[in-house]
Amino acid sequence: RMSEPTTTDWRRGALLQAAGIIAAFHIGKVPGQLAGLTRELDLSLTQAGSLVSLFNLVAALFGVTLGLLVDRTGALRAAVGGLALAAAASLAATVEEGLGALVAKRAVEGFGFLLTVSSIPSILVGEVSAQARRRAMGLWGSYMPTGMALSMAASGAVGDLGGWRLVWRLVAAFGFVWAGVLWLSFR
């Protein structure tokens, strides 16, 4: 067992926070692009809504399994793998023409998202002193609203430039880059 840190490296904590924010981009990108997705893929409102709510279904079905996977593979590998998996699914979805394939890629994104955000707290705990732990975990709790808000705000403008596929590609690029940043910073 590793000894508990006596100091807090807030820079490394910020790298982990950014990973959660980037993972949350995958959730926030869809609402701003529902109109474009619905129009281009000829989706009903119910079908479009399924793209938004799919992450909740993935969490309900695979939450416990993901926790076991994180424990078995190690938190860093799970966080990096989750970011890369979500990014790969986002990128792969940009070549899809139908709802079924898009939903499947979205489910994989959800799996990667959950893998990432369920592993980062254990890495974070190893970076902060006992005195700073409550503050660090409180800050960690802001990853979701921050990432979703940033993604929702940016996806409209980016979508106006290049449609939903550009939004998906940019979110994928952030995920791939940050997977590398985490790996190089924490391995």
Side-chain angles (χ1 to χ4, degrees), residues 43-66:
L43 304 178
S44 70
L45 288 178
T46 302
Q47 291 169 324
S50 71
L51 293 174
V52 175
S53 62
L54 193 59
F55 274 48
N56 296 332
L57 179 62
V58 170
L61 294 175
F62 299 109
V64 173
T65 304
L66 285 171

Side-chain angles (χ1 to χ4, degrees), residues 6-130:
T6 56
T7 61
T8 297
D9 188 339
W10 290 107
R11 289 172 300 172
R12 288 168 64 87
L15 293 175
L16 294 167
Q17 184 76 18
I21 290 168
I22 289 168
F25 285 176
H26 290 278
I27 298 173
K29 71 183 181 184
V30 176
Q33 292 304 305
L34 277 179
L37 281 163
T38 302
R39 189 174 42 256
E40 185 178 327
L41 300 175
D42 195 32
L43 304 178
S44 70
L45 288 178
T46 302
Q47 291 169 324
S50 71
L51 293 174
V52 175
S53 62
L54 193 59
F55 274 48
N56 296 332
L57 179 62
V58 170
L61 294 175
F62 299 109
V64 173
T65 304
L66 285 171
L68 295 171
L69 183 61
V70 168
D71 193 43
R72 183 171 294 239
T73 63
L76 179 60
R77 282 191 179 112
V80 169
L83 279 171
L85 181 65
S90 185
L91 188 59
T94 64
V95 298
E96 296 304 333
E97 298 296 329
L99 178 66
L102 190 59
V103 166
K105 302 295 186 323
R106 191 84 176 127
V108 174
E109 275 185 86
F111 193 83
F113 164 80
L114 287 171
L115 198 55
T116 301
V117 301
S118 63
S119 58
I120 288 178
S122 62
I123 303 169
L124 186 58
V125 165
E127 298 296 322
V128 298
S129 67

Side-chain angles (χ1 to χ4, degrees), residues 100-180:
L102 190 59
V103 166
K105 302 295 186 323
R106 191 84 176 127
V108 174
E109 275 185 86
F111 193 83
F113 164 80
L114 287 171
L115 198 55
T116 301
V117 301
S118 63
S119 58
I120 288 178
S122 62
I123 303 169
L124 186 58
V125 165
E127 298 296 322
V128 298
S129 67
Q131 297 85 355
R133 190 160 296 140
R134 286 179 59 173
R135 185 177 324 144
M137 295 311 287
L139 287 170
W140 168 248
S142 70
Y143 80 88
M144 179 74 88
T146 303
M148 285 182 64
L150 288 171
S151 185
M152 288 171 70
S155 73
V158 172
D160 287 347
L161 294 174
W164 69 270
R165 293 172 200 275
L166 179 60
V167 173
W168 265 239
R169 287 180 186 121
L170 284 175
V171 169
F174 277 109
F176 284 130
V177 167
W178 215 256

